[in-house]
Amino acid sequence: MITDKLNFTVGPVQSCPAVRELGNEQVPYFRTPEFSELMKENERLMLKFAKAPQGARVCFMTGSGTASMEAAVANCFTPQDKVLIINGGSFGHRFQQLAEVHNIPHTVIRLETGKTLTREQLYRYDGQGFTGLLVNIHETSTGVLYDIDLISEFCRKNSLFLVVDSISSFLCDRFNMAGCGANVMITGSQKALACPPGISIIILDTLAQQRVMSNNPGCMYLDLKLALSNGERGQTPFTPAVGILRQINARLCQIENNGGVDSEIERVAALANDFRKRIKELPFEFVSNSMSNAVTSLHPKNVSAFSIVTILKDEYDIWVCPNGDGLADQIFRVGHIGYLSIEDNTRLINALADMYKRNLL
Amino acid sequence: MITDKLNFTVGPVQSCPAVRELGNEQVPYFRTPEFSELMKENERLMLKFAKAPQGARVCFMTGSGTASMEAAVANCFTPQDKVLIINGGSFGHRFQQLAEVHNIPHTVIRLETGKTLTREQLYRYDGQGFTGLLVNIHETSTGVLYDIDLISEFCRKNSLFLVVDSISSFLCDRFNMAGCGANVMITGSQKALACPPGISIIILDTLAQQRVMSNNPGCMYLDLKLALSNGERGQTPFTPAVGILRQINARLCQIENNGGVDSEIERVAALANDFRKRIKELPFEFVSNSMSNAVTSLHPKNVSAFSIVTILKDEYDIWVCPNGDGLADQIFRVGHIGYLSIEDNTRLINALADMYKRNLL
């Protein structure tokens, strides 16, 4: 058994009993009006929770978040574009790699680890003929949430096509797709949606849909034309992860019935704030100067971050999230997403306090 | 509830209780030695059951079967190749579309619905400078199983790189990857593996691995170089459908403990043979002149195939599989894969016999 640990990672995260029970049911045949109806409801609730503009559509992709990031890059841009990429860590770097793979001319704004994008950094690129901007609004690898208002204003001023990867920010931080003028937003099943991994989700406004329809992404599996046309009847071009789409449905309906997206964001914020208040007693520094509610990135002052991850797992049955990319010893992350409670925070804080007593922090 | 029907489709199919119970567990964090070990076991058992040659490797892709078909085309061929594609229905047609998307020069052998590939048809292309051959060894849309020995001999004689899509044939029909000299084989989680959809699987022999390493597929998500290198440590480049990979592990171990791949194939064959013997009493014709054990394609002599699908669903709580591509009225399919028994066959046969009594057949 490898699932008996308390999970504070940033995905996969813990699912509520209703979602898990669906995992125990047979997966139904899906080329049916019943499944189409469920998919239509998924689309309607996703649009509502993202506060998407009139006419926006949703594509449900069977794949990781990267599949949807790549679909956005390949379907919405061409070698005639010139895009600006905010790179504050692993996921910003991935957008850069995707632009390279698809021959999209690009310029990268490289940020320091843990630092948000400043007005000064961004406005260096004002009026320089860019056509688009790609941003992971929450750089999951370091827990930095960028200022969407700053980015939105800049994109409006420069008429940039705006792609917002909010994979780990959706349902955690306030987001208004229509308000900020994002043309594309992306999320995934295994973050705050708190379902098993396997589905990522792309919302396209009407301009993005036009780009998709006139573009050739060079890849059938990630061709959003097929996703959009099949989606009209609540279907997908290829067999999707039907079980996970049913779980997403249960979760979206649950959020709707519990007061909607704003209540859910408050719930996650309360968990994050509780943890951050209590961790201050222990020898850690916050890594990020602009935190998302989704995750707290911590730098231990005295010991290796990776050793803390290992001891929590092996001796306290708690998973927190290690960092990669050469930061494993400097940083680990505590997620506040998924089926977690204040009592779970207490268990983690107590474990860390115990490690401190044992001179392990 | 939409999952309370007896499911004879060709995917998603019914899962056994052990697989379903795993769906009820929390999905664990996966960048751990424990998950790597599970993935290594998945690789070992897949290689064993496919009777793969020495040095072969397995890539687990989060995506539908089409994702893996496209990965095979994009990673193993280039515009310098000249490939032969066997097109006997929807899935053969998909290989043709994928070759078009990736600019792989190709010639298509188009077969009549329900008819297998003959020696005469194939040998027309003998000695004509082809470099590869793509085949869905079981054309799922019509239930035709091609003669792997015929294809294998032809490929050896012409030194063709052989890609065998056995998505719906793996664990149903005898297959020996090393014996037939296939360089690539493909399958999916939701066919005879009888797990939820969301994972497809590619086995690459050493020559295929060489092609992958020297090729640029133009798509990061489907780049098998990344899958191969991460797979060395039992990991995937992007967050995979962890829950489904755990279910695949349970199912592979179950098959191993129940006597291995040959016993599993015998079990499926017995179900298929039982059904085919009993359906002969009713006014149907077999569509395929070379049947896979996975599915029986039926042509109703007197009524619309689609009306039978609908009545079985609405009045008998049984799903059988409708056909698309203009064949909806001519053909429906009965799958023999997944968690099914002789008693389930009886229930379907009784339902059809009852429809016959009611003058609905």
Side-chain angles (χ1 to χ4, degrees):
Chain A
M1 265 294 294
I2 54 174
T3 59
D4 53 351
K5 299 192 198 308
L6 179 57
N7 183 352
F8 282 96
T9 70
V10 291
V13 301
Q14 296 183 164
S15 298
C16 67
V19 165
R20 287 197 283 129
E21 277 159 26
L22 280 172
N24 199 9
E25 291 185 6
Q26 295 292 5
V27 176
Y29 184 63
F30 68 107
R31 299 289 189 202
T32 61
E34 292 82 356
F35 186 69
S36 293
E37 214 172 285
L38 179 146
M39 289 294 283
K40 286 292 198 184
E41 186 169 54
N42 283 353
E43 179 167 35
R44 188 176 61 73
L45 290 171
M46 278 301 306
L47 292 173
K48 183 173 180 184
F49 294 170
K51 306 185 198 282
Q54 196 68 31
R57 293 278 311 281
V58 185
C59 299
F60 295 89
M61 310 296 286
T62 296
S64 77
T66 298
S68 282
M69 289 168 70
E70 182 156 21
V73 170
N75 285 270
C76 297
F77 297 106
T78 74
Q80 278 68 56
D81 279 292
K82 181 181 160 192
V83 305
L84 206 49
I85 296 172
I86 316 299
N87 176 356
S90 323
F91 292 97
H93 180 61
R94 189 158 297 167
F95 263 142
Q96 181 179 345
Q97 293 173 307
L98 289 168
E100 281 160 17
V101 167
H102 293 278
N103 303 308
I104 313 299
H106 58 282
T107 297
V108 174
I109 306 183
R110 185 75 180 92
L111 305 177
E112 266 180 83
T113 298
K115 298 284 184 290
T116 192
L117 174 73
T118 65
R119 175 171 294 270
E120 195 201 353
Q121 285 169 319
L122 184 59
Y123 273 80
R124 258 176 235 157
Y125 301 92
D126 188 26
Q128 296 194 12
F130 285 95
T131 62
L133 188 146
L134 295 163
V135 64
N136 321 92
I137 197 67
H138 171 217
E139 171 52 62
T140 322
S141 68
T142 53
V144 176
L145 181 73
Y146 304 127
D147 181 349
I148 185 69
D149 296 330
L150 170 67
I151 292 169
S152 167
E153 180 196 288
F154 178 82
C155 288
R156 284 218 166 91
K157 182 161 186 284
N158 286 277
S159 299
L160 304 192
F161 186 92
L162 173 57
V163 174
V164 176
D165 160 9
S166 59
I167 291 178
S168 63
S169 178
F170 180 64
L171 302 177
C172 301
D173 306 302
R174 285 184 188 283
F175 180 72
N176 185 322
M177 187 175 172
C180 74
N183 302 97
V184 175
M185 88 82 107
I186 303 167
T187 192
S189 56
Q190 82 277 18
K191 304 292 184 184
L193 266 173
C195 289
I199 292 283
S200 54
I201 302 171
I202 310 175
I203 305 186
L204 302 164
D205 78 350
T206 52
L207 179 61
Q209 291 164 48
Q210 283 168 28
R211 290 211 180 189
V212 165
M213 296 318 285
S214 65
N215 208 344
N216 172 12
C219 178
M220 182 191 282
Y221 193 67
L222 300 180
D223 191 338
L224 297 179
K225 279 191 286 301
L226 302 175
L228 283 172
S229 64
N230 281 270
E232 282 171 20
R233 57 185 178 108
Q235 289 286 335
T236 53
F238 317 113
T239 303
V242 175
I244 300 170
L245 288 164
R246 296 179 76 220
Q247 292 174 307
I248 287 173
N249 184 258
R251 175 77 171 124
L252 290 171
C253 292
Q254 177 190 73
I255 292 169
E256 178 73 344
N257 295 335
N258 288 343
V261 63
D262 296 332
S263 302
E264 179 64 15
I265 291 171
E266 273 169 40
R267 194 188 64 76
V268 177
L271 279 175
N273 292 335
D274 171 73
F275 176 79
R276 287 167 191 170
K277 203 175 63 194
R278 293 156 84 186
I279 195 72
K280 281 187 187 154
E281 314 286 314
L282 291 164
F284 292 105
E285 279 166 9
F286 292 125
V287 172
S288 165
N289 70 352
S290 168
M291 287 193 265
S292 160
N293 291 319
V295 59
T296 304
S297 296
L298 295 169
H299 169 62
K301 291 183 188 168
N302 310 316
V303 298
S304 149
F306 196 75
S307 79
I308 295 177
V309 173
T310 306
I311 293 169
L312 282 173
K313 166 173 161 284
D314 292 339
E315 300 184 26
Y316 296 89
D317 278 333
I318 295 175
W319 275 309
V320 295
C321 208
N323 269 54
D325 289 344
L327 294 171
D329 283 326
Q330 278 74 55
I331 303 177
F332 72 95
R333 292 166 292 165
V334 174
H336 309 296
I337 54 184
Y339 189 63
L340 285 170
S341 65
I342 297 287
E343 291 68 38
D344 294 324
N345 278 352
T346 302
R347 193 171 140 201
L348 174 56
I349 292 286
N350 286 349
L352 289 168
D354 189 60
M355 283 176 66
Y356 184 60
K357 255 197 281 181
R358 294 169 65 202
N359 284 319
L360 294 171
L361 283 193
Chain B
M1 264 294 295
I2 55 174
T3 59
D4 54 350
K5 298 192 199 309
L6 179 57
N7 184 352
F8 282 96
T9 69
V10 291
V13 301
Q14 296 182 163
S15 298
C16 67
V19 164
R20 288 198 282 128
E21 278 158 25
L22 280 172
N24 199 8
E25 290 184 8
Q26 296 291 6
V27 176
Y29 183 63
F30 68 106
R31 299 289 189 201
T32 60
E34 292 82 356
F35 186 69
S36 293
E37 212 172 288
L38 179 146
M39 289 294 282
K40 285 294 198 183
E41 185 169 55
N42 283 353
E43 179 167 35
R44 188 176 61 75
L45 289 171
M46 279 300 305
L47 292 173
K48 182 173 180 184
F49 294 171
K51 305 184 200 284
Q54 195 69 30
R57 292 280 310 280
V58 184
C59 299
F60 295 89
M61 309 297 287
T62 296
S64 77
T66 297
S68 282
M69 289 169 70
E70 182 156 21
V73 170
N75 284 271
C76 296
F77 297 106
T78 74
Q80 276 68 56
D81 279 292
K82 182 179 160 194
V83 305
L84 207 50
I85 296 173
I86 316 299
N87 177 355
S90 323
F91 293 97
H93 180 61
R94 189 157 298 166
F95 263 142
Q96 182 179 344
Q97 293 172 305
L98 289 168
E100 282 160 16
V101 168
H102 293 278
N103 303 309
I104 313 298
H106 58 282
T107 296
V108 174
I109 306 183
R110 185 76 178 90
L111 305 178
E112 266 180 84
T113 299
K115 298 285 183 291
T116 193
L117 173 73
T118 64
R119 174 171 294 270
E120 194 201 351
Q121 286 168 318
L122 185 58
Y123 274 81
R124 260 176 233 155
Y125 302 91
D126 188 26
Q128 297 194 11
F130 286 95
T131 62
L133 188 146
L134 294 163
V135 64
N136 320 92
I137 198 67
H138 171 218
E139 171 52 63
T140 323
S141 69
T142 53
V144 176
L145 181 73
Y146 303 126
D147 181 348
I148 186 66
D149 296 329
L150 170 67
I151 292 169
S152 166
E153 179 197 286
F154 178 82
C155 289
R156 285 219 165 91
K157 182 161 184 286
N158 286 276
S159 300
L160 304 191
F161 186 92
L162 174 58
V163 174
V164 175
D165 160 9
S166 58
I167 291 178
S168 63
S169 178
F170 179 64
L171 302 177
C172 300
D173 306 302
R174 287 185 185 281
F175 180 72
N176 185 322
M177 187 174 172
C180 74
N183 304 97
V184 175
M185 91 82 109
I186 302 167
T187 192
S189 56
Q190 82 278 18
K191 302 293 184 183
L193 266 173
C195 289
I199 293 284
S200 53
I201 302 170
I202 310 174
I203 305 185
L204 303 164
D205 78 349
T206 50
L207 179 61
Q209 292 165 46
Q210 283 168 27
R211 290 212 180 189
V212 165
M213 295 319 286
S214 65
N215 208 345
N216 173 12
C219 178
M220 183 192 282
Y221 192 66
L222 300 180
D223 190 338
L224 297 180
K225 277 190 286 299
L226 302 176
L228 283 173
S229 62
N230 281 269
E232 281 171 21
R233 56 186 179 108
Q235 289 286 335
T236 54
F238 316 114
T239 304
V242 176
I244 300 170
L245 288 165
R246 295 179 75 220
Q247 292 174 306
I248 288 172
N249 184 257
R251 175 76 170 124
L252 290 172
C253 291
Q254 177 189 72
I255 293 169
E256 177 74 343
N257 294 334
N258 288 342
V261 63
D262 296 331
S263 302
E264 179 62 16
I265 292 171
E266 272 169 41
R267 193 188 66 76
V268 178
L271 280 174
N273 292 334
D274 171 73
F275 176 79
R276 287 166 192 171
K277 203 176 63 194
R278 293 155 84 186
I279 195 71
K280 282 187 184 153
E281 313 286 316
L282 291 163
F284 293 106
E285 280 166 8
F286 293 125
V287 171
S288 165
N289 71 352
S290 168
M291 288 193 265
S292 160
N293 291 320
V295 59
T296 304
S297 296
L298 295 169
H299 169 62
K301 291 182 186 169
N302 311 314
V303 299
S304 149
F306 195 76
S307 79
I308 296 177
V309 173
T310 307
I311 294 169
L312 282 173
K313 166 173 162 283
D314 292 339
E315 301 184 28
Y316 297 90
D317 278 335
I318 294 174
W319 276 309
V320 295
C321 208
N323 269 56
D325 289 342
L327 294 171
D329 282 327
Q330 278 73 56
I331 302 177
F332 72 94
R333 292 166 290 165
V334 175
H336 309 297
I337 54 184
Y339 188 65
L340 287 170
S341 65
I342 297 288
E343 291 68 39
D344 294 324
N345 277 353
T346 302
R347 194 172 140 200
L348 174 56
I349 291 286
N350 286 349
L352 289 167
D354 189 60
M355 284 177 66
Y356 184 61
K357 257 197 279 182
R358 293 168 64 201
N359 285 319
L360 295 170
L361 282 192

